[in-house]
Amino acid sequence: MDKQQAQVERAEKMTLGEALRHKDVVRNELIAGVTGFFAISYIIIVNPLILKDAGIPTDLSVFATIFSSIIGCLVMAFWANAPIILTPGMGVNAFFTYTVVVNMGLSWREALGIAAVASFVYMLIAFTKASTVLSEAIPESLKSGITAGIGLFLVEIGLEKAGLIVAGKSSLIVLGDLTKPATLLALFGLVLSFILYIRKVKGNFFIGIIATSLVAFFFGIKDADTPTVDLARLGQYHKIVFQNDFSSWLSTPFILAAFSMTMILVFESMGLLQGLLPDQRKFKKTFEGSSVTTFLSSFLGTSPTVAAAESASGIETGGRTGLMSLTAAIMFALSLVFVPLLAYVPSGAIAPVIIITGAIMMQAIGNIKMSDFAEWFPAFLIIVLIPLTNSISTGLAFGFVCYPVMKLALGQGKHVAWPVYLLGFLFLLDLIFSSLL
């Protein structure tokens, strides 16, 4: 074990106060926090653009996105001491907008009410023994499948951001245009970041982002959408705060939407934390903190927060304590003023970090006993369906429904813990209700 790896493992056992007393740990955590922030920074713009279709003013939901992210990261730092970045989640924001508001015809205020109810149920589960019972009952093959599935999902996101894959006309995905400057920039960043990573250079991903951004600056390569935030609009932010509408809470659409959103929040968060956390002893506190932030976010005027899969980029850089999350919180706070500077960090600089991080997470496939098809196939469904459906919760649903069915078919039903049957049943209900919404 090299010195750097030993230092990282030692940091896992430190409290936030202890970590602050070690300069090497502080340096690692700062770099990890900045790296993780840049990897997920696109959420500041993308989330408001999605919520715009629900009717929430874009310039105001930018503030909601930033504020909920700051609170989430601070909770992770001081409550859980975990290297996790919480932001409004991709996937659940699409469910919020396109399923609840557009398809079901509910208002964005009612959608915020649904988010609050779902988050409250999430908190009830998180702060009771139910969370521990459920997380401990999940078979190791499914846990490894979740980690690998999230990894493949990150690879897909990274390849899309790099322009290496695009939607095809005759097929689902085709190779992007390799003559575009932005794509060539991403390839440069990928090679550079890969070399820095395998050479175990300290701050490898951060160096890759900065170097690639400098190349983009000198060659005039910028993303098409330049983010802007007008601080003068902050005085209007109150228009989307505490706007939750619970008036139709007994209606069938409200109940069905709340159930589906609860399933997404509870089990997507559980799956993400199972796959991301280097030290699973921090799971309980992290899960609790995530639930609280999710509940608060519904009153701040945005779709629910979840653990960002891009946290893995910071973790792979060496983040092991809440200092990484605290650094990310500071970066989100600074983004209120410096968001336009994010235009100088193009997708081509961020994509390589996301791709390599996803590839690292996919190594979890090696922990699955592939010779046992009943263990491998449910995990396989999770791995492929998360990226193909663009939904972590959908991938989990198919995997968790399949697992007990496979075991029963083999006459091994007695070897399956009862919570796994419960999860399979709940996920089956979720798939049914989701198809009806």
Side-chain angles (χ1 to χ4, degrees), residues 314-343:
I315 293 170
E316 290 300 330
T317 305
R320 289 296 183 273
T321 75
L323 274 179
M324 173 183 146
S325 304
L326 179 59
T327 302
I330 294 171
M331 293 297 293
F332 273 111
L334 291 174
S335 70
L336 283 168
V337 179
F338 297 111
V339 160
L341 293 180
L342 293 178

Side-chain angles (χ1 to χ4, degrees), residues 11-16 19 25 29 76-77 81-84 282 318-326:
E12 282 185 359
K13 302 174 183 177
M14 293 181 181
T15 64
L16 192 62
V25 173
E29 298 292 325
M76 289 295 98
N81 186 30
I84 296 295
K282 295 183 179 181
R320 289 296 183 273
T321 75
L323 274 179
M324 173 183 146
S325 304
L326 179 59

